[in-house]
Amino acid sequence: LAHRRRRLRGRPHQDRDAPTTPSTGGDPQRPTTSLDEQLTMGVDTSIKAGNFSAQVEGYLRRELVDASAAAWTFGADVQAGYFLVPRRLELGARQSVLVQNENIPAKRARGITYEGQLAYYPAGNHLKVAARYVYSDVQSPVDGYTGRGHLATIQTQLWF
């Protein structure tokens, strides 16, 4: 085990038969998923006051596409909830946005969702049953999907 740790610390695993990508410069010795090819940063904050709670989060990711271009992705969520019956019945709303590859027109994709939820907690935070509605508007020429959608679900969650 100690020998294996030294080997892993001293030199990353290299597969001579691994496929190469333009971002590796054609070098089969260089792994295709190195830290210099992708960087993700994020921040979030939340607040709770009485029966009200809110959370805001966002992230930014830079991914090296080839030696001369990087793709940027931005995502953000805003959600809020209010307990109509303290600790039992919550009304919630959420909005999410995702923008991918904004600087590469052929691969640009955008999506936005709006959600509404009515959640019941029969056993505190250990059991949740919720009715959710989601409206989405997605534009993704890469995946070939562009359109709007509606989704209604019944969701259950169990925490131990």
Side-chain angles (χ1 to χ4, degrees):
L1 184 60
H3 172 69
R4 182 169 170 77
R5 280 189 198 150
R6 273 191 303 246
R7 187 174 65 99
L8 290 176
R9 281 188 197 146
R11 184 166 207 178
H13 173 70
Q14 296 174 347
D15 184 356
R16 291 186 184 274
D17 298 325
T20 61
T21 64
S23 62
T24 65
D27 181 2
Q29 296 298 314
R30 182 173 169 210
T32 59
T33 57
S34 66
L35 292 176
D36 61 340
E37 292 177 0
Q38 183 175 353
L39 174 65
T40 303
M41 299 172 285
V43 64
D44 65 270
T45 187
S46 61
I47 186 171
K48 181 163 177 26
N51 291 344
F52 176 77
S53 65
Q55 181 176 356
V56 177
E57 58 186 324
Y59 75 90
L60 180 66
R61 182 175 69 202
R62 177 188 176 273
E63 188 170 359
L64 192 62
V65 176
D66 59 36
S68 64
W72 292 89
T73 300
F74 167 77
D77 296 309
V78 177
Q79 64 184 31
Y82 184 81
F83 275 95
L84 302 171
V85 177
R87 306 187 79 149
R88 292 286 182 225
L89 187 63
E90 181 184 30
L91 182 62
R94 175 180 176 137
Q95 180 182 4
S96 302
V97 63
L98 178 69
V99 179
Q100 293 180 303
N101 305 316
E102 184 64 25
N103 58 326
I104 304 173
K107 294 185 176 184
R108 185 177 300 151
R110 296 179 182 183
I112 190 166
T113 62
Y114 301 94
E115 300 179 36
Q117 170 178 277
L118 184 63
Y120 175 60
Y121 299 86
N125 66 350
H126 297 287
L127 178 62
K128 173 183 175 180
V129 179
R132 292 179 50 209
Y133 168 75
V134 180
Y135 168 77
S136 61
D137 184 359
V138 177
Q139 300 171 8
S140 179
V142 175
D143 296 330
Y145 177 79
T146 296
R148 296 180 175 102
H150 302 271
L151 177 67
T153 61
I154 300 294
Q155 171 188 3
T156 58
Q157 292 179 337
L158 179 63
W159 290 280
F160 294 98

